[in-house]
């Protein structure tokens, strides 16, 4: 029902910024809670941020709070992750995901749809 495609990853120096995009197929996008997760080699997939249906609610992991901003443009079927003040420990493959309800946001298994991921590498 929903297909997600991430873009915008790349190589950036510590302290720099990147904006990730996640394009969703169809017109159902506005009915889904959207999240961003990341996974580094040898580590569990971890929650980064989530946003509710109409951008009225956002949730961030403590590790990115104050540096990352999640937003969505329902008319464009797109969710964004603006990443500022990047640190080497932010390096990971970043995935966008979609779910039906604004609950259990930190648990990757609660999301129904996933993108293919985009690599973010932060150098020091």
């Amino acid at each position: 029902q929903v297909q997600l495609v991430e873009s915008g990853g790349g190589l950036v120096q510590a302290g720099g910024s990147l904006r990730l995009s996640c394009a969703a197929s169809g017109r159902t996008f506005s009915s889904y809670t959207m999240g961003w997760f990341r996974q580094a080699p040898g580590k569990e997939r971890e929650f980064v941020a989530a946003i509710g249906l109409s951008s009225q609610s956002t949730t961030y992991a403590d590790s990115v709070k104050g540096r990352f901003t999640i937003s969505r443009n329902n008319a464009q079927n797109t969710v964004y992750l603006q990443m500022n003040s990047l640190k080497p420990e932010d390096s990971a493959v970043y995935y966008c995901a979609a779910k039906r309800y604004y609950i259990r946001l930190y648990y990757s298994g609660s999301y129904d749809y996933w993108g293919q991921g985009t690599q973010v590498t932060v150098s020091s």
Side-chain angles (χ1 to χ4, degrees):
Q1 185 67 40
V2 177
Q3 296 183 71
L4 306 173
V5 180
E6 303 95 333
S7 62
L11 176 65
V12 64
Q13 288 187 290
S17 298
L18 284 173
R19 188 180 74 162
L20 305 184
S21 299
C22 176
S25 65
R27 296 176 58 83
T28 313
F29 172 78
S30 61
S31 299
Y32 286 86
T33 290
M34 300 296 298
W36 286 96
F37 286 75
R38 66 188 183 187
Q39 188 166 24
K43 297 186 180 297
E44 297 290 325
R45 187 168 298 187
E46 66 174 346
F47 173 80
V48 176
I51 187 167
L53 303 186
S54 300
S55 304
Q56 298 178 11
S57 298
T58 57
T59 300
Y60 297 92
D62 288 342
S63 59
V64 307
K65 192 173 299 182
R67 299 188 297 120
F68 291 10
T69 302
I70 188 171
S71 61
R72 67 192 297 163
N73 186 329
N74 290 342
Q76 297 292 322
N77 292 340
T78 304
V79 62
Y80 303 96
L81 185 68
Q82 178 67 46
M83 306 186 295
N84 299 326
S85 301
L86 282 162
K87 306 173 181 179
E89 51 263 45
D90 295 318
S91 297
V93 176
Y94 282 71
Y95 300 89
C96 68
K99 70 192 310 294
R100 296 293 294 177
Y101 305 103
Y102 199 72
I103 57 173
R104 301 180 65 198
L105 300 176
Y106 301 96
Y107 176 49
S108 63
S110 73
Y111 289 76
D112 301 303
Y113 304 100
W114 292 85
Q116 83 290 346
T118 185
Q119 177 71 51
V120 172
T121 303
V122 184
S123 65
S124 59

